[in-house]
Protein backbone atom coordinates (compact mmCIF):
# COMPACT_ATOMS: atom_id res chain seq x y z
CA UNK A 1 0.00 0.00 0.00
CA UNK A 2 1.64 3.25 -1.05
CA UNK A 3 -1.31 5.63 -0.74
CA UNK A 4 -2.98 6.91 2.41
CA UNK A 5 -6.44 6.04 3.67
CA UNK A 6 -8.22 8.64 5.82
CA UNK A 7 -11.71 7.99 7.23
CA UNK A 8 -14.08 10.54 8.78
CA UNK A 9 -16.12 9.09 11.61
CA UNK A 10 -18.68 10.12 14.18
CA UNK A 11 -22.35 9.91 15.11
CA UNK A 12 -25.12 11.61 13.13
CA UNK A 13 -24.88 15.34 12.45
CA UNK A 14 -21.15 15.88 12.98
CA UNK A 15 -20.44 17.37 9.54
CA UNK A 16 -18.44 14.37 8.26
CA UNK A 17 -19.54 14.76 4.64
CA UNK A 18 -18.68 18.47 4.55
CA UNK A 19 -15.26 17.85 6.05
CA UNK A 20 -14.60 14.88 3.74
CA UNK A 21 -15.41 17.04 0.71
CA UNK A 22 -13.16 19.86 1.97
CA UNK A 23 -10.29 17.51 2.69
CA UNK A 24 -10.51 15.80 -0.69
CA UNK A 25 -10.67 19.20 -2.43
CA UNK A 26 -7.72 20.52 -0.46
CA UNK A 27 -5.55 17.51 -1.30
CA UNK A 28 -6.52 17.66 -4.98
CA UNK A 29 -5.59 21.35 -5.11
CA UNK A 30 -2.13 20.27 -4.02
CA UNK A 31 -1.84 17.86 -6.90
CA UNK A 32 -2.67 14.71 -4.96
CA UNK A 33 -4.73 12.03 -6.67
CA UNK A 34 -7.71 11.44 -4.39
CA UNK A 35 -10.46 8.85 -4.34
CA UNK A 36 -13.47 9.97 -2.31
CA UNK A 37 -15.88 7.30 -1.15
CA UNK A 38 -18.76 6.87 1.26
CA UNK A 39 -20.00 3.92 3.26
CA UNK A 40 -22.20 2.08 2.86
CA UNK A 41 -22.01 2.35 -0.92
CA UNK A 42 -19.44 3.64 -3.36
CA UNK A 43 -19.83 0.76 -5.85
CA UNK A 44 -22.86 -0.43 -7.84
CA UNK A 45 -23.19 -3.48 -5.58
CA UNK A 46 -22.57 -1.41 -2.47
CA UNK A 47 -25.23 1.17 -3.39
CA UNK A 48 -27.78 -1.64 -3.78
CA UNK A 49 -26.84 -2.97 -0.36
CA UNK A 50 -27.05 0.60 0.99
CA UNK A 51 -30.66 0.78 -0.14
CA UNK A 52 -31.51 -2.44 1.74
CA UNK A 53 -29.69 -1.20 4.85
CA UNK A 54 -31.09 2.32 5.08
CA UNK A 55 -34.65 2.00 3.75
CA UNK A 56 -36.74 3.35 6.68
CA UNK A 57 -39.45 0.76 5.95
CA UNK A 58 -37.05 -2.18 5.87
CA UNK A 59 -36.75 -4.98 8.40
CA UNK A 60 -33.11 -6.03 8.92
CA UNK A 61 -32.04 -8.21 11.86
CA UNK A 62 -28.91 -7.06 13.75
CA UNK A 63 -26.49 -9.68 12.40
CA UNK A 64 -27.95 -9.38 8.94
CA UNK A 65 -27.26 -5.64 9.22
CA UNK A 66 -23.67 -6.18 10.35
CA UNK A 67 -22.98 -8.67 7.55
CA UNK A 68 -24.53 -6.45 4.89
CA UNK A 69 -22.33 -3.53 5.97
CA UNK A 70 -19.33 -5.88 5.87
CA UNK A 71 -20.35 -7.10 2.40
CA UNK A 72 -20.70 -3.58 0.99
CA UNK A 73 -17.32 -2.70 2.52
CA UNK A 74 -15.58 -5.80 1.14
CA UNK A 75 -16.84 -4.87 -2.33
CA UNK A 76 -15.58 -1.31 -1.94
CA UNK A 77 -12.17 -2.56 -0.78
CA UNK A 78 -11.83 -5.02 -3.66
CA UNK A 79 -13.15 -2.77 -6.38
CA UNK A 80 -11.96 0.71 -5.47
CA UNK A 81 -10.09 1.39 -2.23
CA UNK A 82 -7.49 -1.39 -2.49
CA UNK A 83 -6.55 -0.64 -6.12
CA UNK A 84 -6.45 3.12 -5.38
CA UNK A 85 -4.09 2.68 -2.42
CA UNK A 86 -1.85 0.30 -4.38
CA UNK A 87 -1.57 2.88 -7.15
CA UNK A 88 -0.51 5.57 -4.66
CA UNK A 89 -3.78 7.49 -4.40
CA UNK A 90 -5.12 8.97 -1.21
CA UNK A 91 -8.54 7.76 -0.14
CA UNK A 92 -10.90 10.03 1.80
CA UNK A 93 -13.84 8.10 3.15
CA UNK A 94 -17.08 9.19 4.74
CA UNK A 95 -17.28 6.41 7.39
CA UNK A 96 -15.42 3.09 7.47
CA UNK A 97 -15.17 -0.23 9.31
CA UNK A 98 -15.07 1.78 12.55
CA UNK A 99 -18.73 2.77 12.01
CA UNK A 100 -19.59 -0.92 12.06
CA UNK A 101 -17.62 -1.41 15.27
CA UNK A 102 -19.46 1.50 16.92
CA UNK A 103 -22.98 1.08 15.47
CA UNK A 104 -23.30 -2.69 15.13
CA UNK A 105 -20.73 -3.71 17.72
CA UNK A 106 -21.83 -1.10 20.27
CA UNK A 107 -25.24 0.31 19.30
CA UNK A 108 -26.74 -3.03 18.34
CA UNK A 109 -24.81 -4.81 21.08
CA UNK A 110 -23.18 -7.39 18.80
CA UNK A 111 -19.73 -6.84 20.29
CA UNK A 112 -16.82 -4.88 18.85
CA UNK A 113 -14.56 -7.95 18.66
CA UNK A 114 -17.20 -10.02 16.88
CA UNK A 115 -17.98 -7.31 14.34
CA UNK A 116 -14.29 -6.68 13.71
CA UNK A 117 -13.90 -10.42 13.10
CA UNK A 118 -16.52 -10.54 10.33
CA UNK A 119 -15.15 -7.44 8.62
CA UNK A 120 -11.46 -8.29 8.65
CA UNK A 121 -11.40 -11.08 6.01
CA UNK A 122 -13.03 -8.88 3.37
CA UNK A 123 -10.60 -6.03 4.00
CA UNK A 124 -7.15 -7.56 4.48
CA UNK A 125 -4.69 -4.69 4.46
CA UNK A 126 -7.33 -2.19 3.31
CA UNK A 127 -7.78 -0.57 6.71
CA UNK A 128 -7.94 3.17 7.48
CA UNK A 129 -4.53 4.57 8.33
CA UNK A 130 -5.98 7.67 9.97
CA UNK A 131 -9.46 7.94 11.50
CA UNK A 132 -10.68 11.46 12.18
CA UNK A 133 -13.34 11.18 14.88
CA UNK A 134 -15.63 14.21 14.81
CA UNK A 135 -16.85 14.20 18.37
CA UNK A 136 -20.28 15.52 19.28
CA UNK A 137 -22.88 14.78 21.93
CA UNK A 138 -25.90 12.79 20.78
CA UNK A 139 -28.50 15.50 21.56
CA UNK A 140 -26.73 18.08 19.39
CA UNK A 141 -26.06 15.50 16.67
CA UNK A 142 -29.68 14.41 16.41
CA UNK A 143 -30.87 18.04 16.43
CA UNK A 144 -28.60 18.74 13.42
CA UNK A 145 -29.76 15.68 11.49
CA UNK A 146 -31.90 16.41 8.40
CA UNK A 147 -33.51 13.17 7.22
CA UNK A 148 -33.24 10.15 9.46
CA UNK A 149 -32.68 6.83 7.69
CA UNK A 150 -33.45 3.45 9.33
CA UNK A 151 -30.33 3.56 11.53
CA UNK A 152 -30.04 7.32 11.92
CA UNK A 153 -33.62 7.23 13.20
CA UNK A 154 -32.66 5.20 16.25
CA UNK A 155 -33.12 7.21 19.42
CA UNK A 156 -30.90 9.11 21.77
CA UNK A 157 -29.78 6.09 23.83
CA UNK A 158 -28.58 4.28 20.72
CA UNK A 159 -26.65 7.36 19.49
CA UNK A 160 -25.17 7.89 22.94
CA UNK A 161 -23.87 4.31 23.04
CA UNK A 162 -22.44 4.66 19.53
CA UNK A 163 -20.63 7.83 20.61
CA UNK A 164 -19.21 6.13 23.70
CA UNK A 165 -17.90 3.21 21.65
CA UNK A 166 -16.26 5.63 19.21
CA UNK A 167 -14.52 7.21 22.22
CA UNK A 168 -13.37 3.77 23.42
CA UNK A 169 -12.07 2.88 19.96
CA UNK A 170 -10.15 6.16 19.78
CA UNK A 171 -8.63 5.59 23.21
CA UNK A 172 -7.62 2.03 22.25
CA UNK A 173 -5.86 3.11 19.04
CA UNK A 174 -4.32 6.53 19.71
CA UNK A 175 -1.88 6.15 16.82
CA UNK A 176 -4.68 5.77 14.32
CA UNK A 177 -7.32 8.15 15.69
CA UNK A 178 -7.36 11.90 15.90
CA UNK A 179 -10.27 13.36 17.83
CA UNK A 180 -11.75 16.73 16.87
CA UNK A 181 -14.48 18.64 18.72
CA UNK A 182 -17.34 18.87 16.21
CA UNK A 183 -19.54 21.12 18.36
CA UNK A 184 -17.58 24.14 17.08
CA UNK A 185 -18.33 26.10 13.89
CA UNK A 186 -17.51 24.18 10.71
CA UNK A 187 -14.55 26.48 9.87
CA UNK A 188 -12.99 25.73 13.25
CA UNK A 189 -13.57 22.00 12.81
CA UNK A 190 -12.04 22.10 9.33
CA UNK A 191 -8.97 23.99 10.56
CA UNK A 192 -8.45 21.39 13.31
CA UNK A 193 -8.79 18.48 10.89
CA UNK A 194 -6.37 20.02 8.39
CA UNK A 195 -3.87 20.69 11.15
CA UNK A 196 -3.98 17.03 12.20
CA UNK A 197 -3.55 15.77 8.64
CA UNK A 198 -0.64 18.14 8.04
CA UNK A 199 0.92 17.03 11.30
CA UNK A 200 0.98 13.45 10.00
CA UNK A 201 2.02 14.07 6.39
CA UNK A 202 3.89 16.79 4.59
CA UNK A 203 1.50 17.88 1.86
CA UNK A 204 3.60 19.52 -0.83
CA UNK A 205 2.12 21.20 -3.89
CA UNK A 206 3.39 18.32 -6.07
CA UNK A 207 1.81 15.66 -3.86
P1 LIG B 1 -25.56 8.12 5.74
O1 LIG B 1 -26.68 8.57 4.90
O2 LIG B 1 -24.26 7.87 5.08
O3 LIG B 1 -25.50 9.08 6.95
P2 LIG B 1 -24.38 9.84 7.71
O4 LIG B 1 -24.43 11.21 7.14
O5 LIG B 1 -24.83 9.79 9.12
O6 LIG B 1 -23.07 9.14 7.47
O7 LIG B 1 -26.08 6.83 6.50
C1 LIG B 1 -25.30 5.90 7.04
C2 LIG B 1 -26.03 5.34 8.23
O8 LIG B 1 -25.59 4.00 8.44
C3 LIG B 1 -25.72 6.08 9.51
O9 LIG B 1 -26.87 6.10 10.35
C4 LIG B 1 -24.66 5.23 10.15
C5 LIG B 1 -25.00 3.85 9.69
N1 LIG B 1 -23.85 2.93 9.56
C6 LIG B 1 -23.79 1.82 10.37
O10 LIG B 1 -24.66 1.59 11.22
N2 LIG B 1 -22.75 0.94 10.23
C7 LIG B 1 -21.78 1.12 9.29
O11 LIG B 1 -20.83 0.31 9.17
C8 LIG B 1 -21.85 2.29 8.44
C9 LIG B 1 -20.81 2.54 7.40
C10 LIG B 1 -22.92 3.16 8.62
Amino acid sequence: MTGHYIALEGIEGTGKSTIAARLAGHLEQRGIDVLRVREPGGTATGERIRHVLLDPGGLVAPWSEALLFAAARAQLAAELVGPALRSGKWVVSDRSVYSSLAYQGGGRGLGVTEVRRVNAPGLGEVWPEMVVLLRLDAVTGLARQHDADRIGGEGIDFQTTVGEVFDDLAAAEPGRFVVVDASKAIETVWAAVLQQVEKRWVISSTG
Side-chain angles (χ1 to χ4, degrees):
M1 298 288 165
T2 55
H4 300 295
Y5 182 4
I6 306 172
L8 279 300
E9 288 286 8
I11 61 164
E12 315 297 312
T14 57
K16 286 181 303 300
S17 308
T18 307
I19 297 295
R22 286 250 190 137
L23 180 57
H26 181 87
L27 295 171
E28 275 163 357
Q29 269 176 10
R30 275 155 186 72
I32 295 175
D33 224 347
V34 181
L35 171 70
R36 201 186 148 206
V37 293
R38 70 163 177 180
E39 290 198 21
T43 64
T45 297
E47 290 295 328
R48 289 165 80 175
I49 297 173
R50 177 184 176 89
H51 180 75
V52 173
L53 278 166
L54 301 184
D55 180 359
L59 205 62
V60 186
W63 267 112
S64 174
E65 182 179 289
L67 294 168
L68 284 168
F69 275 116
R73 181 169 300 122
Q75 185 67 30
L76 186 65
E79 202 177 313
L80 292 177
V81 179
L85 292 173
R86 282 191 288 276
S87 73
K89 285 189 187 174
W90 290 47
V91 176
V92 175
S93 181
D94 198 334
R95 298 195 180 276
S96 73
V97 62
Y98 286 94
S99 277
S100 277
L101 302 186
Y103 281 79
Q104 281 66 51
R108 296 289 190 222
L110 302 179
V112 168
T113 307
E114 288 75 7
V115 172
R116 190 187 282 265
R117 195 178 292 139
V118 296
N119 275 271
L123 299 181
E125 285 177 57
V126 183
W127 199 271
E129 189 178 345
M130 176 189 262
V131 180
V132 179
L133 175 59
L134 299 182
R135 196 168 184 284
L136 190 64
D137 69 277
V139 174
T140 311
L142 286 181
R144 283 186 188 174
Q145 193 184 38
H146 298 298
D147 308 306
D149 52 59
R150 194 180 57 79
I151 299 171
E154 291 287 348
I156 189 81
D157 291 349
F158 180 88
Q159 299 298 335
T160 302
T161 304
V162 171
E164 286 168 0
V165 178
F166 270 131
D167 286 346
D168 293 346
L169 292 167
E173 295 192 80
R176 193 184 312 274
F177 273 78
V178 297
V179 182
V180 170
D181 179 359
S183 69
K184 301 279 195 301
I186 195 77
E187 290 306 327
T188 310
V189 176
W190 163 238
V193 171
L194 184 59
Q195 192 188 32
Q196 293 291 344
V197 172
E198 288 182 332
K199 210 160 109 184
R200 175 103 37 131
W201 296 289
V202 177
I203 304 169
S204 69
S205 56
T206 55

